Amino acid sequence: MRHSAISIQDKFSISLNSLGFFLLSYLFVYLLHQSVTCFAASLFNVRTLLRFNDLLFFTDDSGWNFSSVKTIFLAGPIITFFCGIVFLMIAYRIHEYDGLLRLFFLWGALHASNFFFGAMIVGVITGSGIGYALNWMFLMDTGKLIVVLLAAVSLINTGIIITRMFLFTVNSYFPELRKDRKCEYLRVQLLYPFLFGSLILYFVKSPVNTTDLLLPGTLLLSIIPMFIRQSHFPDLNFEDGKPHSVQISPSLIICASLALLLFRTALAK
């Protein structure tokens, strides 16, 4: 890659591998979030039904009070937030190695951050999820605006923090990454998988609810800063003596496809 752009075939292979981990990590974080919410609801004897595109609650108005609303609608986001921290720590520990598995933790950290901070922004806009809990806390409009601003800044900082780790994934494919190729590589490794992954999830979860419709937009608050931040890094060189090649991981693509199929069919109640 010293004197030429990434070939079309290599771009397709890199994007497809990243797309597989984008989808697998999303399903992991999403199911963790919803499972914790279901467990929190059970503590207040609120019955739930988890579907591929929503979580239904079965209770009358007497089942909702300050304690139940706060616990049920904050438990999932808080757990995914800590999951994101763990994923980020793992990704940092292994980011200089050359395995593709790093992408699961990198995408997982972004998804988990978005399920917390992005859900705050969407919740304030729609009054659902975290926003529903904030309404029960009688938070004024000024307070909600502060929550939105802090959440947006946190998403931007997440992208800034994780930029270097995403750039280092190039050593799975190439022995170097020139400074003038970083933006191109991030488009292939980050932007295209995000765009196509979001479209696939829209299709799999169709009809999507308002939250799922808006959350990819808040994830952009972490992705866009990476394209700005990448210019601050010099050329990357990985002279480890290992042969490098760009190949699609068939097992990864099969696993992601089966996971999506199982997710859709098992939760289509």
Side-chain angles (χ1 to χ4, degrees):
M1 205 167 64
R2 183 180 298 275
H3 301 294
S4 62
I6 306 173
S7 70
I8 298 298
Q9 181 178 353
D10 287 349
K11 287 180 180 180
F12 179 77
S13 299
I14 295 170
S15 292
L16 195 59
N17 288 336
S18 187
L19 174 61
F21 283 117
F22 173 94
L23 295 170
L24 286 174
S25 60
Y26 174 88
L27 292 178
F28 179 88
V29 174
Y30 176 81
L31 291 173
L32 173 64
H33 177 282
Q34 300 295 62
S35 298
V36 171
T37 303
C38 289
F39 174 75
S42 70
L43 298 178
F44 296 90
N45 297 316
V46 175
R47 295 189 300 110
T48 57
L49 176 62
L50 177 58
R51 303 189 72 248
F52 61 85
N53 63 350
D54 207 354
L55 178 59
L56 305 178
F57 299 92
F58 299 95
T59 185
D60 54 27
D61 291 342
S62 63
W64 299 118
N65 54 62
F66 181 75
S67 295
S68 64
V69 170
K70 179 178 64 174
T71 303
I72 292 171
F73 291 100
L74 292 181
I78 290 174
I79 292 299
T80 55
F81 171 74
F82 285 108
C83 174
I85 292 177
V86 172
F87 275 15
L88 193 59
M89 292 172 61
I90 294 174
Y92 178 77
R93 292 291 297 271
I94 65 175
H95 79 278
E96 294 186 5
Y97 295 93
D98 59 2
L100 289 177
L101 186 60
R102 292 171 296 175
L103 285 168
F104 177 83
F105 298 104
L106 288 171
W107 277 122
L110 287 177
H111 286 311
S113 174
N114 197 41
F115 267 84
F116 184 71
F117 297 114
M120 285 185 182
I121 298 174
V122 173
V124 169
I125 295 173
T126 64
S128 61
I130 295 180
Y132 188 47
L134 293 177
N135 288 337
W136 271 77
M137 295 177 185
F138 302 104
L139 198 64
M140 304 300 290
D141 289 344
T142 302
K144 291 179 180 179
L145 178 60
I146 293 174
V147 167
V148 168
L149 292 176
L150 290 177
V153 170
S154 298
L155 285 170
I156 292 171
N157 285 333
T158 299
I160 292 173
I161 291 170
I162 213 169
T163 302
R164 183 175 185 269
M165 288 178 263
F166 252 103
L167 288 173
F168 263 65
T169 60
V170 74
N171 70 350
S172 295
Y173 303 109
F174 304 108
E176 66 174 4
L177 180 63
R178 275 175 36 189
K179 189 172 183 177
D180 59 347
R181 298 297 181 201
K182 287 186 173 64
C183 189
E184 179 185 20
Y185 178 73
L186 284 181
R187 286 198 302 269
V188 174
Q189 182 74 297
L190 181 68
L191 183 61
Y192 298 157
F194 160 74
L195 293 175
F196 287 105
S198 297
L199 288 175
I200 290 172
L201 289 173
Y202 281 147
F203 174 77
V204 170
K205 302 181 74 174
S206 180
V208 296
N209 57 39
T210 305
T211 298
D212 287 334
L213 186 65
L214 296 178
L215 273 179
T218 56
L219 186 55
L220 278 173
L221 290 174
S222 291
I223 291 177
I224 292 175
M226 296 194 208
F227 286 88
I228 301 173
R229 176 66 174 161
Q230 57 82 22
S231 62
H232 293 81
F233 292 95
D235 292 352
L236 299 179
N237 293 282
F238 309 97
E239 302 299 338
D240 51 13
K242 297 179 181 179
H244 293 78
S245 62
V246 182
Q247 296 179 342
I248 296 173
S249 173
S251 59
L252 168 63
I253 304 308
I254 292 173
C255 183
S257 300
L258 290 177
L260 286 172
L261 179 62
L262 181 62
F263 172 79
R264 173 74 190 213
T265 55
L267 299 180
K269 300 177 181 178

